[in-house]
Amino acid sequence: MRASRAKAKTAKPGKQAVLWARLNPQVTLQPQPGGALAACFNDYAIELGRFSAGTIARAEALREGLPLSSFASKSTLDQEIFRLVERLAQLGLLEFPFGDGDANLFVIEPQTAHYWPRPTKLAGTDNIVLSRFAYLRRRGDDVVLESPRSDALFRVSAPAIAATLAVLSVPQSVRKLRELHGLPSDDLLGLLLDGQILFKADPAREDGRRGEGDDDLVLWDFHDLLFHARSTEGRHANPLGGVYPHVDHIAPRPAVRPSWDGEKIDLTHFHAQPGPVSPFTELLQARHSVRDYDDANPVTAAELAALLDRLARIRATWDSDDFGPDGPVVSYAARPYPSGGGAYELELYLAIANCDGLGRGFYHYDASAHALVRLDVEQHHIDATLGAAAYAMDVEAPPQIVVTIAARFGRVSWKYSSLAYSLILRDVGVLTQTLYLAATDMGLGGCAIGTGNIDQFEKMTGLPFHVEGPVGHFALGRPGPQASEPSTTSTSTTG
C-alpha cells in the first residue's frame, strides 16, 4: 500500500538522522467503543486490539511519525505503543522515514507483511558493494530504489544516495567510505544492506555474479528475478489483479482484432467433407474452466492418482555426457508434456481440502516414485492457499484441490541466458493446457488461477523464493450441477 506524497526536503547537514515509524498516508486510526482501535483504509477496517486512553492519544503522533528509539523505554505507555506499532507493521500499514525529524534522506516502504527494518552492523574492515539486482527508477513524482530481493523499497529524497550508489559500483571498505566527505553514515549503509540494495562482498568468492548470494541466486538474470518477484503476489505492495487501472482514461480493446486490408481467402472452402469428429477435437471443444464443484461427491484418491499418472509421471531418465568425459554429467527425465530444452523443471504441490481417500493437507507429487509426500505445513497456510484460490476465482467455497505449479529455476537458468524465465512460463502454459485436457477427459473440472503468493509458498516449504517457487496455480474438483456448460459471462483471467 502506498500513496503519492510531495517530495520531502533533504535532511540538513550536521543533524543526526534516525529511523521513524509513520502511519501509511492511506491509513487512519479510529477509536472504537471499549478502548478498541481500528485501522481503516480503502473501505476496510481491521481491529488492532484494546489499548489505554493514553496510548490511543499518543497514536495520533504516528501520522507524523515516532522515532523507533522512543520505544526503548520500559514504561507501560511506551511498551503499549510499541505493541500497537508492531501490529501495524505486521499488517503492512507503516512506512519508515530515515531523517532528522524535519526532512528525510529516504522513506522505507514495506513490500511484504511483517517487515521491520533491522540495520546491519558494520565493521571498518567490511567490504560492501551494490547488488546487481538493485535499480533506481521514477515512480510518479518520486524516485525509488528497490530490488526484487528486498522486502522493502526506498523512496529517495537525498541526491547523495545516488552518488553513494555510483561509488559502490565496485567494492569499497567501510573504513574508506567513512573517510569520504559527504557520504552517508553507517546507519544509512546498514539500512541499505538490510534491504539487500548493498551486500558484504565475500573475498572467498569470485567477483561479479558469484560474489552475491548462493549458487541458486547466481543462476538468475536481473530481469528474470525482477519479473518473478513483481508479477505475482507476496513480494511487492503494488495493486494486483483485475483492478482496471485504465478504465477512466483508455477505452477497452476489442475482443476480436479488426481485419487487415488485403485479399481475404475463405478457408471453409478447403475443409474436408463433413465426417465423424475425432475424440481429440471433442475434447478440445469440451474443455472449459469449471469453478463450481460438487463437495458432496469429491474427487477420489484413485482419480487423482490416475490424473497425475497421465499428466506428470516420469516415463524415463538418462544421463548425457554433453561436455565430454571431463565435464559435468547432465541428467534428463521424460514426462508426458513437452518442456523447453528437456528441462522438466516444474513440480506439482497439492493443497487438498476435500478428496475421498486423502486427508486435508499440503502434498508434493514425487513424479519419479508416483507418490504423494505430505509436507508438515501449518493449517492456516493451507487455509490461506485455498481461500486465495476461491477469491481469485470469484467463488464462495474453496476448490477441492489447488495444484501449485512450482519451478526449480536453476534447472533452466543453468543452461539458458536472457530467456530462462520466459521458457519456464511457456512450460507452465503447456502444463496448464495438459491439466485442462486430462481433467476434462476424466470428467473432472479444472480452472487455471492467475495469482499466487510466492512469499507464502516459501514459508510453507522453507525454500527461498529464488530457489523454487510457484509460477502457476490450478483448481481441481468434481463439477457441480451448474458447471456442465462453458460460461460466456466470466470476467476472470481464464476461459
Side-chain angles (χ1 to χ4, degrees):
M1 178 186 300
R2 65 174 178 85
S4 296
R5 182 189 294 274
K7 289 199 173 185
K9 298 177 182 178
T10 303
K12 299 175 182 177
K15 296 190 69 174
Q16 178 66 37
V18 297
L19 199 57
W20 302 68
R22 184 169 70 192
L23 203 62
N24 186 291
Q26 294 181 353
V27 179
T28 59
L29 298 180
Q30 297 290 339
Q32 307 293 308
L37 195 63
C40 302
F41 57 93
N42 297 340
D43 298 325
Y44 290 95
I46 297 179
E47 294 292 333
L48 301 172
R50 297 184 181 278
F51 300 91
S52 67
T55 296
I56 292 176
R58 190 181 176 193
E60 285 295 315
L62 286 171
R63 296 180 185 275
E64 297 299 324
L66 290 171
L68 295 192
S69 58
S70 67
F71 306 137
S73 166
K74 298 299 182 182
S75 73
T76 301
L77 180 61
D78 284 337
Q79 290 303 298
E80 195 172 47
I81 194 73
F82 182 55
R83 179 166 64 86
L84 170 61
V85 168
E86 278 192 314
R87 175 65 173 152
L88 290 166
Q90 289 170 354
L91 296 168
L93 302 181
L94 291 180
E95 58 184 23
F96 299 91
F98 182 73
D100 59 18
D102 296 323
N104 302 315
L105 293 168
F106 55 67
V107 177
I108 304 174
E109 294 183 7
Q111 299 298 293
T112 62
H114 304 280
Y115 170 82
W116 189 268
R118 293 177 174 84
T120 302
K121 299 297 183 183
L122 288 169
T125 54
D126 287 334
N127 286 300
I128 59 176
V129 67
L130 183 66
S131 167
R132 68 187 179 90
F133 295 104
Y135 62 101
L136 194 68
R137 68 180 178 93
R138 182 176 72 88
R139 187 193 66 186
D141 294 331
D142 296 320
V143 173
V144 295
L145 174 63
E146 57 185 322
S147 165
R149 296 191 64 203
S150 181
D151 292 330
L153 64 78
F154 298 78
R155 194 167 72 238
V156 177
S157 302
I161 293 177
T164 300
L165 298 178
V167 171
L168 289 170
S169 60
V170 294
Q172 305 283 349
S173 73
V174 172
R175 182 179 292 110
K176 179 179 178 181
L177 290 171
R178 288 169 179 167
E179 295 171 353
L180 294 177
H181 177 71
L183 287 184
S185 65
D186 281 12
D187 289 338
L188 187 148
L189 294 174
L191 287 167
L192 294 178
L193 280 159
D194 177 56
Q196 302 191 78
I197 301 300
L198 308 177
F199 69 94
K200 292 183 180 181
D202 183 354
R205 293 173 69 88
E206 301 172 17
D207 291 338
R209 278 194 174 214
R210 291 190 58 80
E212 178 179 5
D214 55 24
D215 284 349
D216 289 291
L217 188 64
V218 169
L219 293 170
W220 280 91
D221 285 328
F222 162 78
H223 59 278
D224 281 347
L225 190 63
L226 177 62
F227 186 55
H228 176 53
R230 294 295 187 264
S231 61
T232 188
E233 187 179 5
R235 295 196 62 81
H236 67 85
N238 301 320
L240 180 75
V243 298
Y244 300 101
H246 306 292
V247 66
D248 295 326
H249 310 287
I250 300 173
R253 297 307 187 237
V256 179
R257 191 198 188 285
S259 181
W260 286 90
D261 293 334
E263 181 185 3
K264 184 175 294 186
I265 302 170
D266 186 355
L267 297 178
T268 57
H269 296 303
F270 298 96
H271 285 192
Q273 293 296 319
V277 177
S278 72
F280 180 68
T281 300
E282 291 180 341
L283 186 62
L284 284 175
Q285 293 175 346
R287 184 222 63 81
H288 64 280
S289 292
V290 174
R291 297 172 177 81
D292 179 59
Y293 302 107
D294 182 1
D295 285 332
N297 185 27
V299 175
T300 68
E303 288 172 318
L304 183 59
L307 177 70
L308 293 170
D309 178 74
R310 297 182 187 185
L311 174 76
R313 186 176 183 178
I314 290 176
R315 300 295 192 246
T317 60
W318 67 95
D319 295 332
S320 173
D321 57 353
D322 296 349
F323 298 92
D326 298 326
V329 174
V330 182
S331 62
Y332 292 93
R335 305 193 192 200
Y337 58 92
S339 176
Y344 288 103
E345 75 285 357
L346 301 180
E347 300 289 329
L348 300 182
Y349 292 82
L350 286 72
I352 294 181
N354 189 5
C355 179
D356 187 4
L358 287 171
R360 185 185 182 92
F362 191 67
Y363 300 80
H364 171 249
Y365 176 59
D366 185 334
S368 178
H370 188 48
L372 288 175
V373 180
R374 184 167 187 159
L375 278 64
D376 184 14
V377 173
E378 294 179 7
Q379 189 61 48
H380 71 91
H381 285 308
I382 300 171
D383 294 341
T385 299
L386 295 165
Y391 179 81
M393 296 164 64
D394 195 23
V395 295
E396 294 184 3
Q400 294 167 10
I401 300 170
V402 173
V403 180
T404 295
I405 304 172
R408 294 184 296 131
F409 302 109
R411 176 71 183 166
V412 178
S413 56
W414 186 84
K415 176 179 180 180
Y416 293 102
S417 180
S418 296
L419 50 72
Y421 197 71
S422 66
L423 284 179
I424 290 171
L425 296 184
R426 289 176 173 89
D427 289 345
V428 174
V430 169
L431 182 54
T432 299
Q433 176 71 337
T434 306
L435 262 166
Y436 265 121
L437 296 178
T440 302
D441 188 48
M442 294 179 62
L444 303 177
C447 180
I449 301 171
T451 61
N453 192 310
I454 60 178
D455 187 58
Q456 181 173 280
F457 183 86
E458 179 175 323
K459 293 173 181 175
M460 295 170 76
T461 62
L463 297 169
F465 85 100
H466 67 274
V467 175
E468 184 174 334
V471 287
H473 293 80
F474 192 87
L476 183 69
R478 191 174 311 284
Q482 305 301 318
S484 59
E485 295 296 333
S487 171
T488 58
T489 59
S490 170
T491 59
S492 79
T493 57
T494 57

